[in-house]
Amino acid sequence: AQSVTQLDSQVPVFEEAPVELRCNYSSSVSVYLFWYVQYPNQGLQLLLKYLSGSTLVKGINGFEAEFNKSQTSFHLRKPSVHISDTAEYFCAVSPPRGSASKIIFGSGTRLSIRP
Amino acid sequence: ETGVTQSPTHLIKTRGQQVTLRCSSQSGHNTVSWYQQALGQGPQFIFQYYREEENGRGNFPPRFSGLQFPNYSSELNVNALELDDSALYLCASSLIGSGKAYEQYFGPGTRLTVT
């Protein structure tokens, strides 16, 4: 079975400051890793994904994440945040094989940007 | 390309009643997954439908049931509603057989309130 832990429920940062949202996962098999963003009163939008290959993946809106197998982590980073990045961010995993593409989500990190 | 749509956007029901939520998948997709997102939590996988049959189920009781229609749209039915069923219900569509079944596209959700 897989599980996802997002270590921070809330992260406040000032506009134009860098940010890192932490994510650790647990799995006995190899997994795909994702970060989703949820803006207020909206559904989920895929920010980026790691399937295989290069451990540094780049996504939309200037976000990037690094897969670290030894630490079972997939932390999300942005060098300079904007007010529009205010949202809930979810780290997620799914097994690479299996017809039921069940995605397991973490509990989310609320990113609030201060002007 | 038409995105994932869900109806209704909001719904208020009384404990013990039954509810039906609807989802239209993205054009070209053949699979629909349903998730429950309680307030302040990450989405939890309910079940997935592929070729009009249940194709995987999470840890939800049998009073949560679903259907998928030949046009790949789907319904989520919940019987004997309980207060804890109050949540945002998210539908996601994907394409099994494309090699990218892990890529799920989410709708905006239906907010269900049980009183």
Side-chain angles (χ1 to χ4, degrees), chain B residues 8 11 13 17-21 76-81 89 112:
Chain B
L11 202 52
K13 289 286 189 178
Q17 286 188 314
Q18 178 266 343
V19 70
T20 297
L21 310 182
L76 164 65
N77 299 290
V78 187
N79 294 321
L81 283 166
Y89 288 85
L112 172 65

Side-chain angles (χ1 to χ4, degrees), chain A residues 32 34 36 38 41-46 49 51 88 90 94-96 98-108 110, chain B residues 33 35 37 40-45 48 55-58 88 90 94 96 99 101-109 111:
Chain A
Y32 291 158
F34 309 89
Y36 285 84
Q38 186 175 36
N41 301 313
Q42 294 188 29
L44 298 172
Q45 181 181 4
L46 181 65
K49 60 182 180 286
L51 307 180
E88 188 93 20
F90 293 95
S94 77
S99 57
S101 301
K102 169 183 173 180
I103 297 179
I104 298 168
F105 290 87
S107 56
R110 184 170 298 277
Chain B
S33 303
Y35 294 82
Q37 185 180 15
Q41 297 183 25
Q44 300 289 317
F45 176 73
Q48 182 182 85
N55 186 46
R57 189 179 182 93
L88 180 67
L90 295 165
S94 55
I96 287 180
Y102 55 81
E103 261 186 26
Q104 298 194 8
Y105 293 83
F106 285 81
R111 173 78 59 190

